[in-house]
Amino acid sequence: MTQNPATRLPSPEVTGPQREHTDPLPESESPAAPLTPAQAFDALYAFCSPALVRQTYLLTGRRELARESVERAFQLAWERWPEVAVDRDPAGWVRAMAYEFALSPWQHLRPRHRHPEAPVADPSDRALMAVLQKLPPPQRRTLLLYDGVGLDLPETAAETEASTPTTAGRLLRAREVVATRLPELSDPGELHRRLAELASTERLRAAVPRTVRTGGERRVRFWTRAAIAVTVALIGTTALTLRTAPTHYEPPVAPGAEVQGVPARVAQGSLSDAELKLRKKLREATASGPERLVPDGR
């Protein structure tokens, strides 16, 4: 399987034994000045983004999602540029991030991705896109990397974070499904050609590199400020809690309980004749003068 030129960056310098056979630079010629990080990022973006957008479109079947996934992947690359710049395959790093973003399960929850987009015009291309979208995401990604991009089996397994036997099984199952529904694509070479043609028919344009870099920087500033705001809110809430919280333990009031053995309350009955006479005497004595009632000793 031939490698897609958009999957590998050319090496900027010659290393190993080949360096010994290179002619020395003339004394009048000086080596080119090293690229700045922004220039190196722009070169990587210009080299990879057009093909990567088309590949992601085959992976998702959505044009806007393909562009957004590639832009988000390059924004992550710019945020981690010291790490990406020294990676052995920067294009593969960005491609893996774009595929992960495009195949994220939460993409189906976004309102603008709930409705299908306009299909491709050619009926045969439309049939191939329909078959691809019916494949499970792991099989679709494996098929696209191996038969579309042109990676070999170990590289495909490494990028999909799966073992080589698992990757081979996914590839065979995906090819079987495609061959069952589209018998003319049972040959891997023909399938590779059709995938390349299908990707090239869509006129998908990537954003300007500077726009991607500034968008990523704005995103970083936004999330940094959001993190600072959340931290300040947590500090303020903690301080308010410490100030208003009680300084000693207050045991809770025990719930009421029913007391057993208490006699029932008896209503007061009518007074006897002696009690009525006593009450009358008391009322008359207290209302007729300064006499005081004293106990009557018996």
Side-chain angles (χ1 to χ4, degrees), residues 10-251:
S11 177
E13 59 180 3
V14 181
T15 58
Q18 296 179 1
R19 182 182 294 274
E20 300 175 358
H21 301 287
T22 57
D23 296 332
L25 290 174
E27 296 181 358
S28 59
E29 296 182 6
S30 59
L35 297 178
T36 64
Q39 292 173 339
F41 174 85
D42 293 349
L44 176 66
Y45 184 84
F47 187 81
C48 299
S49 60
L52 187 55
V53 171
R54 293 192 291 269
Q55 296 167 16
T56 312
Y57 171 67
L58 295 183
L59 189 68
T60 61
R62 294 184 174 274
R63 302 169 180 84
E64 186 62 30
L65 179 58
R67 284 189 290 264
E68 184 182 2
S69 301
V70 173
E71 290 181 15
R72 181 60 182 144
F74 274 99
Q75 288 174 358
L76 289 175
W78 180 243
E79 294 173 11
R80 307 174 186 177
W81 186 247
E83 170 191 347
V84 178
V86 298
D87 192 90
R88 68 178 184 86
D89 185 12
W93 192 99
V94 176
R95 180 179 58 240
M97 293 297 103
Y99 286 9
E100 291 289 342
F101 184 85
L103 294 178
S104 178
W106 63 267
Q107 295 289 355
H108 299 285
L109 303 178
R110 304 174 67 178
R112 63 177 177 175
H113 294 161
R114 293 178 183 175
H115 306 287
E117 291 188 359
V120 293
D122 187 74
S124 60
D125 292 343
R126 187 161 58 248
L128 178 55
M129 281 294 297
V131 173
L132 290 177
Q133 298 310 310
K134 292 293 184 180
L135 294 174
Q139 296 182 19
R140 192 189 322 153
R141 183 176 182 178
T142 302
L143 181 69
L144 180 61
L145 289 174
Y146 191 87
D147 286 331
V149 176
L151 301 185
D152 57 17
L153 198 59
E155 290 175 331
T156 304
E159 187 159 323
T160 56
E161 298 181 349
S163 63
T164 303
T166 300
T167 304
R170 291 173 179 175
L171 177 63
L172 293 177
R173 287 191 294 271
R175 282 180 172 178
E176 182 181 357
V177 172
V178 174
T180 301
R181 300 190 179 183
L182 300 173
E184 65 275 11
L185 299 182
S186 58
D187 180 35
E190 181 66 17
L191 177 59
H192 173 74
R193 186 187 66 81
R194 284 296 307 280
L195 289 175
E197 290 180 353
L198 178 58
S200 61
T201 55
E202 288 296 323
R203 303 303 179 186
L204 300 174
R205 304 177 65 181
V208 180
R210 180 177 177 83
T211 304
V212 176
R213 282 192 287 108
T214 55
E217 292 169 356
R218 285 196 301 269
R219 182 185 295 271
V220 171
R221 287 195 298 268
F222 170 78
W223 286 113
T224 302
R225 293 170 181 173
I228 294 174
V230 171
T231 304
V232 171
L234 289 176
I235 293 175
T237 304
T238 304
L240 180 62
T241 303
L242 293 176
R243 184 174 182 83
T244 58
T247 58
H248 59 281
Y249 175 72
E250 297 181 359

Side-chain angles (χ1 to χ4, degrees), residues 274-288 291-294:
E275 292 173 341
L276 291 173
K277 290 176 64 177
L278 177 59
R279 186 179 67 179
K280 182 179 180 182
K281 179 180 179 182
L282 291 175
R283 288 178 177 177
E284 291 176 352
T286 55
S288 60
E291 295 89 352
R292 299 181 59 191
L293 296 178
V294 293

